[in-house]
Amino acid sequence: MLPVGLVQMTSDGDVTRNIRVASEFVRAAHGAGAEFVLTPEVTSLLTSDKERQRAMIVPEAADPALAAFRSLAADLRIWLLIGSLPILGASGKFLNRSFLLDPAGAVRARYDKIHLFDVELGEGRSFRESDQYEGGTSAVLAETPWGPLGLSICYDVRFPQLYRAYAQAGAGLLTVPSAFTPWTGEAHWHALLRARAIECGAFVLAPAQTGDHGGGRATYGHSLVVDPWGRVLADGGAEPGVVLVELDLSAVAEARAKIPSLRHDVAFRVDSL
Ligand SMILES: O=C(O)CNC(=O)[C@H](CS)NC(=O)CCC(=O)C(=O)O
């Protein structure tokens, strides 16, 4: 059994505060027995204030949040997935980067969000993540004591081919740290995450931002753990806090034995008539 803890929080423009709040929740999850703790997308900074982003977002080597979370993982002797930190890349654009830290505080994997959220939701709700961020180009499968883990972030969840590639490469754990909008979350969040779990026969771990972040930004919450049969094992609701759940890892082989759809994948062509 793997005891996991998902941190649900309301990050804002105050990096120091966000690091403190996330760290308190991580400590609480560890105190409750979690050996693997996960935080949401943009744990360290969630703001629409572009000047503030320009001032606060730095290269990885100088990032105070990464340094703090590496010490925390080492201090608590836990595996820690920091859902993402905004990082200043070499091109001058930002990268939306997940970090998997081991119990020695070492960075075991980095993943840069591949699919950027450029959408028009209507009623003046538009997002253009690519204005400031550069997308990643590599899927990343990380080794853990609990088997291979496939990393992704938020809007990536709408691209099932990423998760299928992870499942075909052996992943039984999939991470989807997020900051979903309240509107799309209400309509799609549970369905998308359950679909990824079911079609991959894998656990989906999705720690989420929640609530009102100020400056017109709000997120859906509902941090979710879904098992390989598609059952929602835990739902974080709307309030900040920690979601705790024990994963029975044998459920991966069990689901895939019942429905071996990963083995039934065939290459096909599309005939346009
Ligand atoms: O910009 C930041 O500060 C943090 N990043 C986010 O909030 C990102 C990009 S705007 N949000 C999403 O990808 C939401 C996806 C979503 O809601 C959907 O697919 O429906």
Side-chain angles (χ1 to χ4, degrees):
M1 298 292 266
L2 166 59
V4 299
L6 276 61
V7 171
Q8 177 160 298
M9 60 189 291
T10 313
S11 297
D12 60 18
D14 183 343
V15 172
T16 306
R17 188 203 78 97
N18 296 332
I19 295 171
R20 190 183 68 243
V21 170
S23 301
E24 282 166 7
F25 281 139
V26 171
R27 284 184 186 279
H30 167 259
E35 292 173 23
F36 180 27
V37 182
L38 303 88
T39 73
E41 184 179 16
V42 290
T43 292
S44 58
L45 182 69
L46 204 169
T47 177
S48 338
D49 181 341
K50 296 201 163 137
E51 264 175 53
R52 179 131 197 99
Q53 289 179 312
R54 270 283 146 217
M56 301 307 294
I57 300 177
V58 295
E60 182 183 306
D63 192 88
L66 181 59
F69 293 131
R70 287 185 60 179
S71 306
L72 184 63
D75 185 21
L76 302 178
R77 303 286 312 162
I78 55 169
W79 285 76
L80 183 58
L81 180 98
I82 299 302
S84 83
L85 305 175
I87 296 290
L88 181 59
S91 72
K93 276 197 160 185
F94 305 139
L95 297 157
N96 195 339
R97 180 170 288 173
S98 253
F99 294 90
L100 180 66
L101 310 179
D102 74 11
V107 177
R108 284 296 187 96
R110 292 173 176 76
Y111 166 81
D112 293 337
K113 185 180 186 182
I114 294 174
H115 306 94
L116 300 181
F117 193 52
D118 289 350
V119 302
E120 296 283 345
L121 300 176
E123 297 172 45
R125 294 170 187 145
S126 71
F127 294 84
R128 286 208 56 86
E129 192 175 18
S130 68
D131 278 353
Q132 291 170 285
Y133 283 84
E134 181 180 0
T137 53
S138 297
V140 177
L141 187 72
E143 268 315 318
T144 76
W146 311 286
L149 176 152
L151 289 98
S152 73
I153 300 174
C154 199
Y155 184 55
D156 283 327
V157 76
R158 295 181 183 273
F159 301 84
Q161 62 274 22
L162 173 62
Y163 302 88
R164 192 139 202 101
Y166 283 141
Q168 292 295 15
L173 295 170
L174 301 167
T175 52
V176 195
S178 296
F180 243 60
T181 77
W183 313 285
T184 58
E186 166 101 46
H188 302 155
W189 172 251
H190 292 76
L192 287 167
L193 292 166
R194 292 189 61 211
R196 298 298 84 81
I198 294 164
E199 69 205 10
C200 293
F203 284 97
V204 169
L205 308 174
Q209 292 282 352
T210 194
D212 184 350
H213 306 273
R217 287 294 296 275
T219 56
Y220 180 61
H222 293 272
S223 295
L224 224 63
V225 178
V226 190
D227 82 1
W229 198 244
R231 280 182 293 249
V232 173
L233 300 184
D235 182 325
E239 298 303 317
V242 173
V243 171
L244 295 158
V245 64
E246 298 233 342
L247 308 185
D248 175 0
L249 298 169
S250 66
V252 172
E254 209 174 290
R256 292 176 182 177
K258 285 182 187 155
I259 303 193
S261 58
L262 291 171
R263 278 198 278 119
H264 295 159
D265 249 346
V266 290
F268 55 82
R269 57 166 198 255
V270 177
D271 291 330
S272 294
L273 303 178

